[in-house]
Amino acid sequence: MTAGATTREAEASDAAPDLTGAELTGGLNGWSTSASAVMGVEEMVLLDGPLGIVSKAMDERDTSLIMPSGTALGATWDPELVSDVGQVIGQQGVERGVSAILGPNLNMPRSPLTGRGFEMFSEDPLLTGILGAAWVDGVQSQGVGSCTKHVVANDTETERRRMNSRVEPATLRETYLRPFETAVRSANPWMLMMAYNRVNGTHCSQNAELIGVLKDEWKYDGVVVSDWYGVDDTVAAANAGLDLEMPGPATHFGARFGEAVAAGDVAQPRLSDAVERLTRLADRTGRRSGGTSPAPSRLRSQHEQRAILNKAASRSFVLLKNKDDVLPLDLSGIRTLAVVGPNASKPCFQGGTFATVRPEGDVVSPLEAIRAAVGPGLEVLYEPGAAPSSALPLTDLGSTAPDGTPGVLLEVLPAGEAEDVLYSEVRQASAFVWFGPVPGLGAGVPGRARITANFTFPNATRWTLGAGGTGVSSLRVDGTEVLEVPPPAPDDVMGVVARAETQEIALELPQGKVEVVVEMAFQPGRVQAITAVATPEEETDPLAAAVDLAARADAVVVVIGDQQGSSRESADRTTAALDTASDRLVAAVAEVATETIVVVNASRAVLLPWADNVKAVLMAWFPGQEFGPALAAVLAGKEAPSGRLPVSFPWRDEDIPGWGTGLDAELTLDYAAGEPMGYRHFEGSGRKSRYSFGYGLGYTTFELVDAVTSTSPTRQDPADGVDGIIVRATVSNTGDTQGRDVLQAYAKAPGEADFRFVGFKAIDIAPGEAAEAKIALDPLGFRRWNSSNAEWSIPSGEWEIRVARNASDMGILCRIAL
Ligand code: BGC
């Protein structure tokens, strides 16, 4: 039987169907699965990921290491290192009692506008699949599962719960399912999460065809789970092959799955299949009574963990430009070093999602790390030069609770007007989320949550204040209501909460003590959230001071980029540009300084309109909490940047794949409009990217001397592609320092128009020496999906293989016959 078949076998049998273990198929609460005494299965905790382990209670006091984001890991082109990072996350999961981590995200940033692109590895299915599998391997080596997400075509955030990705079958198979297939084939994640969106008309968690590909074609043996609140219909999802509904308490699965089987709407073997997979997950994660807990392959000390994060951060940096070898900085020639830009003192580590991680231990900012690295003999002066582009938590602005303690006072009260405080605590955040029970009140009842923050202003000040939440929110300043915010539309509850959306009002706040209160009255619901934020209006333009400083300094390091709210879950961007204040800052600094080095702290492809006017551009992504020290080491030349772009950078928005196309009236996004995407779009459209996929400089130079294919191709089942194609590339280091180069291979099938990435190899070469890189080409890169007979085939004839140093480099052409 296929995973999605609907049968009435249960009716045919006289015996009552066996419903044992049905409870396992529904979640227990926000982050746990249900236990089953009869199956000997305990609850399993599933937590976000992928940038670190998120607090189960969404509490700012639960910290964990912030890892490099997907794009940063993508830029390392280093599966071993990515697996080490996975091990660190896995180990952190073990320490926090987690059974599976909700990551990695193997969707594809079809364009730089993809709101959640920072979580994704790259625009290429092979690179994404290889690095994703390495991450999964690392995590699972610790006895913690990976819940690889989101199957599939969840590449855009607009209307993500309802939108329909219309993808032609060959594109779906060769591009969007590919990373998942590679991860399943080589790392076998213990869970796969089905996406919210529809694919070709059917919601992924109810899509029998898609789940059939996983379970029947790929022989996937793990648990297929819904995205959070992503199930709408018990029978459709159960028959399609879904095994687990999350989060709990169960509404469509659990007992309802059993009832659907008893009623004959779902075949009994489908329930057995789900229960068997969930029980297997419990076995794998050590959550089955009488079973053994898997032994982690190797526990790392805290020091080793930080060292891995540091290496991953510095290896992720991509040097896009380095005119006159301005980097590494020649510290002997610098007396005054100007550091400029908001991200130097307040770096950005993550986008706006639920998966927000609070950093563990010390976090050294780029500014502090640069100061420490250059030592006392050199003057390092700082000016932010631009205000942060998104609103800040009240606690970042010096708020105190009414009793004078730094922080805000958080209170929970009953519904209505009564002032009976049921819970109160001083907290160090001003956005709060509760899945299920609200503290002091419990679950399933209406109530009120309130944030009170006091400020003392030396002078009257203009601020923009923002308030929002899952119910009606009001904002009061010194006892007067100044704003009422209606509750959000109910469709994407996770999105609403993840976006922490607010409505804002600009106000003149008087000199002296001011009390700001945000109160939110909520109805019973599965999740509640309240947010209070503020943006201070600058009195003087911070740009002038930064430009002054830049003009006086011997060299300027500008650190600009995104803020946490710049890229968000459940919302897409409208431009690839950085915020205007950052672009304005770089342009103004470049006018007055000769040695301008720009570090971009944004985890997506961005527009760099000022790149021609500066000496160096270093792309730093969201590189994890070791950003500062790793950056200082690279600027000072203790480490060389060796990252390569995992996404192509456009010259202008209009050149982005699919620019100008969006959802139609039926909320369908037609992928045809942006395909092929990434480097294939740029190379094929003749539009040229500004910096291409695979591109990156270092502190030395390389020359590709020779490339030959050595082939003993074995034709296998076409679904498995062609094994045994190897390219040997000779590269010489023509500079005067040791360096790491990444050799890449791109293949063009007979009769096709463009080249596709099929393999890579990184090598370290000493100055003046040459070395051979042996690139084993990806077998699956040699098959094509034939939509007319729904089968894989291997195009025969002469294939061209281009060995190159990035996607737009002509490199050396070889040919092989298949
Ligand atoms: C996201 C998932 C995430 C889940 C739990 C959903 O809204 O799409 O990626 O794992 O929430 O936080």
Side-chain angles (χ1 to χ4, degrees):
M1 191 191 85
T2 64
T6 307
T7 73
R8 297 234 165 201
E9 279 171 37
E11 280 177 5
S13 143
D14 287 343
D18 178 8
L19 307 182
T20 315
E23 61 276 23
L24 286 175
T25 63
L28 177 69
N29 56 37
W31 307 110
S32 298
T33 63
S34 303
S36 164
V38 55
M39 300 302 297
V41 171
E42 298 159 17
E43 290 165 25
M44 293 178 269
V45 174
L46 317 175
L47 274 185
D48 278 309
L51 271 71
I53 312 277
V54 170
S55 161
K56 194 170 18 161
M58 304 266 136
D59 188 317
E60 73 280 3
R61 290 161 293 194
D62 288 348
T63 60
S64 67
L65 292 171
I66 304 185
M67 312 286 157
S69 73
T71 332
L73 294 174
T76 67
W77 294 58
D78 188 339
E80 237 172 81
L81 184 55
V82 172
S83 166
D84 285 347
V85 170
Q87 277 191 27
V88 175
I89 303 182
Q91 187 175 331
Q92 293 238 310
V94 173
E95 289 159 3
R96 288 158 182 74
V98 175
S99 293
I101 293 165
L102 308 179
N105 181 340
L106 298 192
N107 296 121
M108 313 282 291
R110 294 184 74 235
S111 103
L113 308 184
T114 302
R116 218 170 164 178
F118 61 92
E119 275 187 1
M120 304 170 188
F121 288 97
S122 88
E123 68 188 23
D124 179 83
L126 174 61
L127 186 62
T128 302
I130 289 179
L131 298 179
W135 196 97
V136 172
D137 249 346
V139 167
Q140 295 191 164
S141 71
Q142 304 303 298
V144 173
S146 151
C147 179
T148 299
K149 62 193 186 183
H150 315 82
V151 185
V152 65
N154 185 184
D155 314 306
T156 176
E157 290 294 292
T158 308
E159 289 282 359
R160 63 179 186 161
R161 275 293 272 121
R162 302 190 299 156
M163 63 86 61
N164 176 33
S165 299
R166 187 192 292 143
V167 200
E168 197 269 316
T171 308
L172 185 64
R173 295 282 187 149
E174 292 168 16
T175 301
Y176 296 97
L177 278 169
R178 234 338 259 302
F180 294 98
E181 183 178 5
T182 300
V184 167
R185 279 175 180 259
S186 54
N188 196 27
W190 298 342
M191 302 184 79
L192 286 177
M193 186 190 291
M194 300 309 287
Y196 284 130
N197 50 283
R198 291 176 283 152
V199 167
N200 297 330
T202 308
H203 275 291
C204 292
S205 61
Q206 295 167 194
N207 198 317
E209 207 177 316
L210 279 180
I211 302 178
V213 172
L214 317 179
K215 290 189 171 178
D216 302 333
E217 288 185 34
W218 300 350
K219 310 284 177 244
Y220 177 62
D221 73 354
V223 170
V224 178
V225 61
S226 67
D227 198 346
W228 268 225
Y229 305 113
V231 182
D232 298 324
D233 180 327
T234 306
V235 172
N239 280 327
L242 194 80
D243 303 313
L244 172 64
E245 175 200 19
M246 279 301 285
T251 42
H252 295 287
F253 270 28
R256 295 259 163 83
F257 198 138
E259 286 161 19
V261 172
D265 294 326
V266 176
Q268 201 288 329
R270 190 55 274 286
L271 177 61
S272 306
D273 171 51
V275 171
E276 187 185 323
R277 287 166 186 269
L278 283 150
T279 310
R280 185 177 299 127
L281 179 65
D283 278 329
R284 285 174 162 163
T285 57
R287 305 296 293 170
R288 183 124 186 242
S289 44
T292 49
S293 283
S297 68
R298 177 170 170 246
L299 287 178
R300 309 219 187 228
S301 68
Q302 257 184 8
H303 176 75
E304 282 177 306
Q305 295 187 354
R306 296 290 285 240
I308 289 170
L309 295 199
N310 190 302
K311 182 172 175 191
S314 64
R315 186 147 277 186
S316 78
F317 298 152
V318 181
L319 186 60
L320 295 175
K321 177 176 181 182
N322 194 19
K323 195 168 172 214
D324 304 331
D325 292 335
V326 66
L327 285 180
L329 290 169
D330 174 9
L331 296 177
S332 65
I334 300 176
R335 267 172 306 134
T336 303
L337 177 67
V339 178
V340 162
N343 293 54
S345 58
K346 283 203 166 44
C348 183
F349 295 118
Q350 47 203 326
T353 98
F354 254 120
T356 297
V357 181
R358 309 283 178 165
E360 176 182 305
D362 305 335
V363 178
V364 181
S365 71
L367 174 63
E368 291 160 334
I370 292 171
R371 282 212 166 106
V374 300
L378 198 153
E379 188 180 38
V380 178
L381 298 176
Y382 175 63
E383 282 296 338
S389 55
S390 23
L392 299 170
L394 302 185
T395 41
D396 278 17
L397 295 163
S399 65
T400 56
D403 69 359
T405 321
V408 304
L409 179 68
L410 172 67
E411 294 168 298
V412 175
L413 304 109
E417 309 271 299
E419 275 301 307
D420 312 327
V421 177
L422 303 171
Y423 153 93
S424 87
E425 201 174 6
V426 176
R427 298 285 295 265
Q428 300 308 318
S430 66
F432 302 95
V433 177
W434 300 281
F435 278 93
V438 175
L441 194 65
V445 267
R448 285 175 294 152
R450 183 195 286 163
I451 293 171
T452 305
N454 288 338
F455 299 91
T456 307
F457 299 110
N459 301 305
T461 311
R462 277 191 74 77
W463 272 19
T464 300
L465 287 163
T470 38
V472 183
S473 309
S474 65
L475 172 66
R476 294 198 294 271
V477 175
D478 284 338
T480 307
E481 182 169 311
V482 291
L483 183 68
E484 188 178 282
V485 184
D491 21 298
D492 178 7
V493 65
M494 292 298 276
V496 166
V497 180
R499 284 196 302 271
E501 241 161 41
T502 57
Q503 280 190 18
E504 302 192 327
I505 181 165
L507 292 169
E508 171 102 14
L509 302 172
Q511 180 193 18
K513 192 169 160 241
V514 173
E515 185 189 65
V516 174
V517 175
V518 171
E519 185 166 312
M520 194 268 301
F522 55 84
Q523 292 306 312
R526 300 173 84 180
V527 54
Q528 304 295 355
I530 178 171
T531 304
V533 286
T535 316
E537 214 166 89
E538 303 285 334
E539 276 161 29
T540 50
D541 186 353
L543 180 69
V547 172
D548 256 14
L549 172 61
R552 284 189 287 123
D554 301 306
V556 190
V557 176
V558 189
V559 189
I560 45 157
D562 278 347
Q563 309 291 320
Q564 191 167 343
S566 316
S567 292
R568 296 181 306 179
E569 183 171 327
S570 88
D572 286 310
R573 305 179 47 83
T574 52
T575 169
L578 291 165
D579 71 285
T580 342
S582 297
D583 281 342
R584 199 165 68 109
L585 172 64
V586 182
V589 166
E591 292 253 314
V592 297
T594 49
E595 309 281 293
T596 305
I597 293 138
V598 185
V599 178
V600 183
N601 173 205
S603 229
R604 56 190 174 88
V606 292
L607 305 183
L608 304 167
W610 30 256
D612 287 342
N613 305 330
V614 300
K615 282 262 169 99
V617 183
L618 184 74
M619 197 59 206
W621 319 105
F622 294 161
Q625 70 180 68
E626 284 293 313
F627 181 15
L631 178 66
V634 164
L635 295 177
K638 293 200 181 88
E639 295 289 336
S642 64
R644 299 290 183 264
L645 287 183
V647 284
S648 303
F649 278 38
W651 279 97
R652 2 169 255 159
D653 276 335
E654 293 76 1
D655 296 342
I656 290 172
W659 174 257
T661 52
L663 302 182
D664 67 12
E666 271 77 54
L667 301 183
T668 291
L669 180 69
D670 191 352
Y671 273 40
E675 293 299 325
M677 51 119 186
Y679 62 89
R680 293 183 56 205
H681 161 82
F682 288 106
E683 298 313 307
S685 68
R687 288 188 176 208
K688 291 283 168 226
S689 51
R690 175 157 209 159
Y691 295 109
S692 168
F693 173 82
Y695 177 81
L697 306 170
Y699 289 161
T700 186
T701 46
F702 295 101
E703 196 185 321
L704 178 60
V705 181
D706 190 25
V708 287
T709 49
S710 79
T711 52
S712 47
T714 357
R715 267 173 176 278
Q716 305 176 339
D717 179 332
D720 298 326
V722 186
D723 230 348
I725 307 182
I726 287 167
V727 168
R728 291 173 197 280
T730 310
V731 188
S732 70
N733 180 342
T734 49
D736 47 21
T737 54
Q738 173 91 15
R740 172 181 181 261
D741 197 18
V742 181
L743 278 307
Q744 301 155 38
Y746 296 84
K748 183 154 88 131
E752 277 184 5
D754 67 343
F755 282 88
R756 302 188 198 182
F757 178 66
V758 284
F760 67 102
K761 179 82 190 166
I763 40 167
D764 263 298
I765 315 179
E769 295 201 351
E772 188 185 78
K774 190 170 144 200
I775 314 173
L777 304 191
D778 172 48
L780 304 188
F782 291 87
R783 44 168 220 189
R784 296 289 182 264
W785 183 255
N786 191 334
S787 298
S788 53
N789 62 1
E791 275 181 8
W792 289 107
S793 64
I794 293 167
S796 40
E798 192 174 71
W799 285 66
E800 291 175 40
I801 312 285
R802 186 153 56 78
V803 183
R805 301 189 49 243
N806 64 67
S808 56
D809 169 18
M810 290 320 292
I812 295 178
L813 198 63
C814 312
R815 291 170 209 282
I816 50 162
L818 289 183

